[in-house]
Each structure stands twice: as structure tokens, then as C-alpha cells.
Amino acid sequence: MMIGMNTEICDPAELATLRGIFVPRPEAAPPAGWEAVRSFEAEHGIVLPEPYRTFVAEVCDGLRAGPPYYGLLPFAQTPSDWGCDRPERLLAEPFPLTTTWMWENEEADEEALSEQELEARTDAVFDHGSLLLGTDGCGMYWHLVVTGPQRGHVWLIDEYGAMPFGTSSNASPMPGTPGFTGWATHWAQGRSWFAGAPGDDPEETA
């Protein structure tokens, strides 16, 4: 079960946590400002979820050091390896998933979706209702959901499937505190994204 969160009002404690992670870093990009944020929202017909919205407007709009591996992108950009022949990104269309979906299993299933159906569904996962935060390389992209039931949650999407970061279950492949602040804090503590990998125990990095 996914943990709910307040995405409409910026929690001062969360913003303070984000300031503590990003502001001391000399390579942190300056904030984008509220005019740029509101212009982007009007262009795409969305409102960015809090606390990310206030974070990019007032604290920082990108960090080369991460997260993820190849850096936190400015909020209006896509990764350099995203490609120019992809479908149009529709941020106002709801993100279609609420639970992990590994579509590589669909391809191995004799009763799988047709190739056209699978492509249409995966295109929606990549391009509907989310903002790109950055990439870990090898086609692994981190998305912040901005529209739909998963609004405010961070997802990892690659050629094999899509899964959310942070759930209430310790059995999750990526357990942790959900949302942008939880995701950024997890990275700042030097912890692995995946359960069972070296560095995933918070006591090791405390």
C-alpha cells in the first residue's frame, strides 16, 4: 500500500530538510523562481506537487551531483539521452500506474498484450503525468508524478518496468519514505535505492 502525503501545502520541516541537503553544495543551481514555475504550470495545465514546487521555486533547480547518478535536472528539462523521437510528454494526463508493473514479464507471457497494446501502455507510463528528475544511466529514469493518484510519489522507470520508491512494506524492492523529500534524503544518506544492496541500512550511514 502506498503512503498518502500532502502535496498541496509545503511542510516547512520538509523544506528545511531539502535546504539542508542542497544549499550547502556549491554546485547547486539557483532556484528557478515563482514566475518560471507558474509559467511552466500554465503551459502544461498542471500544478507541481509540494514540497517539490516550493523547492525548485525558492531553494534549488538542479544539482550535478544528484540525485540521481547523472544529476538532478532543472524542472523544465529532460535528460540528454531521452531522445528526440519519443512521443509527446503530456503532463496533464494522469500517470497510469498505482503499483509496480514489470512489462518484461508481459513479453514472456503467452497471453500477453499485443505489441501495439503494450507499446501504448508503456508510452503512457513514460510520458503521462510525470516530470523527469534525472537518470541513473542505462535507460533508468526517475520520474516525479504530478497528475493522478500517485501525485507526489517518485518512480523509477526503465526498459523492464516501473516501480515506486518508498512504500509501507519492508518487502518492497525500494523501501523508504515516499515522496521527493524522502527520495532526496535517502540519496543524501548514501543509501542504495534497492533493498538488500550494500548501503541500504540507515545505521550504516548514520
Side-chain angles (χ1 to χ4, degrees):
M1 178 182 296
M2 301 299 294
I3 301 173
M5 60 184 71
N6 187 346
T7 59
E8 306 305 319
I9 299 173
C10 183
D11 183 342
E14 285 197 65
L15 194 62
T17 295
L18 293 170
R19 286 186 188 276
I21 293 171
F22 291 94
V23 170
R25 297 175 180 269
E27 73 274 25
W34 282 109
E35 182 178 353
V37 168
R38 291 179 179 123
S39 175
F40 178 86
E41 291 175 333
E43 177 185 352
H44 292 279
I46 62 165
V47 175
L48 296 175
E50 294 289 3
Y52 179 80
R53 185 175 190 250
T54 299
F55 168 75
V56 296
E58 298 184 359
V59 179
C60 171
D61 187 26
L63 180 68
R64 284 179 296 174
Y69 184 81
Y70 287 100
L72 179 67
L73 288 169
F75 79 96
Q77 291 188 16
T78 54
S80 59
D81 64 348
W82 185 249
C84 59
D85 58 346
R86 288 179 178 264
E88 180 185 2
R89 306 206 72 245
L90 303 174
L91 275 61
E93 289 292 325
F95 182 73
L97 301 182
T98 56
T99 58
T100 296
W101 178 33
M102 304 306 293
W103 48 75
E104 67 169 338
N105 297 333
E106 298 278 354
E107 297 176 355
D109 190 339
E110 294 182 357
E111 298 181 0
L113 299 169
S114 71
E115 183 176 346
Q116 292 79 10
E117 290 173 327
L118 183 60
E119 183 176 354
R121 287 187 62 186
T122 56
D123 282 351
V125 174
F126 276 100
D127 297 311
H128 289 184
S130 69
L131 191 76
L132 282 155
L133 295 173
T135 177
D136 275 327
C138 300
M140 300 172 65
Y141 299 102
W142 291 95
H143 295 238
L144 174 68
V145 178
V146 299
T147 312
Q150 286 292 294
R151 175 177 160 82
H153 288 274
V154 176
W155 282 65
L156 179 63
I157 306 174
D158 62 19
E159 62 180 312
Y160 304 110
M163 65 179 68
F165 170 79
T167 71
S168 59
S169 171
N170 289 331
S172 166
M174 291 196 294
T177 302
F180 180 74
T181 305
W183 179 74
T185 301
H186 198 91
W187 167 79
Q189 292 173 343
R191 300 171 63 188
S192 169
W193 298 122
F194 297 96
D200 68 341
D201 185 347
E203 293 184 0
E204 295 178 2
T205 55

